[in-house]
Amino acid sequence: MNALLLAVGLLAATQADSARFGATPAAVGSPRFVQLVAIEGLPSDTGIREEFMNAFRGTFADERLKAERGGYSGWTPSVAVTNRFRLLEGSPSDDVWTLQVVVGAPAPAMQAPKRQPRPGEPKRRGDLSRRASRGMILSVTALSPEAIRNGARAMPQNIAFAFPPPPPPADASQPVTSGGFAYSWSAAGRAAALLALDTLHHFSGDMGVAERFDIAPAVRTEIGR
């Protein structure tokens, strides 16, 4: 939280100096554009990457997002919040926010070896979506155009989330499989986008420190848990 408050303070100071750089403040209600510089750490499997990125991009295209508000009783559902940021990819621009995301993806599940294929029989492809854990760690780095022009040092925000365990089987005698967790890369891509949008909206001042986006079905967790 201290790192977030320091970053917000730094951004406010740089925005106050933006006039001398000829920056035009965004009109009330108009979108802010953010350049996706890089997203690293995803598994190399093409299907997994496509599923994750489609959900990530699609979340940035949503006009309104479910939110939560913090209080004495913890975080409770709040009214939906207008999404002020729209994602840009391709040629870099000098007058937009920048975003970089590093993904700490869960390790693949250790699956029982299959029988060796017979001569001429194609090899079976394991289910790469199954993972050894339900969590993911993100390192999110965001900078405003004013902060970039002022030479501000990027301050990565390290965030973790996990998916709740599946409900127990109705038949208590059903054996528990050791094949890992059926990981939803689409849900992970949406959760990652919402956490990146959290960082952007806090740094821009469009959301207060007691507000955040609802990332259900995922839940925020502490790093290392």
Side-chain angles (χ1 to χ4, degrees):
M1 180 65 73
N2 289 337
L4 175 60
L5 292 175
L6 286 172
V8 171
L10 172 62
L11 180 58
T14 57
Q15 287 177 331
D17 292 336
S18 63
R20 58 180 162 178
F21 293 100
T24 302
V28 176
S30 66
R32 304 180 191 273
F33 294 101
V34 55
Q35 184 84 37
L36 181 59
V37 177
I39 184 161
E40 304 170 351
L42 286 172
S44 59
D45 181 78
T46 303
I48 288 176
R49 295 175 67 90
E50 182 177 358
E51 186 177 346
F52 183 97
M53 289 306 303
N54 284 344
F56 189 92
R57 295 185 181 100
T59 303
F60 269 82
D62 289 345
E63 292 187 1
R64 292 183 66 79
L65 298 166
K66 291 182 179 180
E68 299 175 313
R69 179 172 290 276
Y72 292 111
S73 59
W75 292 92
T76 56
S78 180
V79 296
V81 173
T82 299
N83 177 18
R84 291 292 310 280
F85 283 85
R86 295 295 181 269
L87 197 63
L88 293 177
E89 295 182 77
S91 302
S93 177
D94 295 333
D95 58 351
V96 299
W97 287 67
T98 61
L99 174 68
Q100 183 171 357
V101 180
V102 179
V103 175
M110 297 295 293
Q111 300 185 34
K114 304 290 184 181
R115 65 172 177 80
Q116 292 294 325
R118 298 185 181 90
E121 182 181 13
K123 291 184 178 180
R124 294 185 178 183
R125 185 174 182 269
D127 184 0
L128 298 179
S129 68
R130 302 193 76 87
R131 296 282 140 167
S133 74
R134 297 175 285 107
M136 178 176 284
I137 299 175
L138 302 175
S139 179
V140 179
T141 304
L143 282 174
S144 71
E146 295 81 17
I148 295 170
R149 286 192 288 266
N150 280 345
R153 182 172 62 89
M155 299 176 63
Q157 305 295 303
N158 296 319
I159 317 162
F161 69 88
F163 295 104
D171 180 3
S173 65
Q174 182 175 339
V176 177
T177 177
S178 59
F181 177 69
Y183 208 79
S184 171
W185 292 99
S186 176
R190 179 167 179 80
L194 288 168
L195 290 170
L197 284 165
D198 249 4
T199 301
L200 289 164
H201 283 79
H202 284 139
F203 282 11
S204 68
D206 290 302
M207 288 179 71
V209 294
E211 297 176 290
R212 69 184 191 182
F213 290 118
D214 182 358
I215 66 170
V219 294
R220 291 167 174 80
T221 61
E222 295 181 9
I223 302 294
R225 292 185 60 183

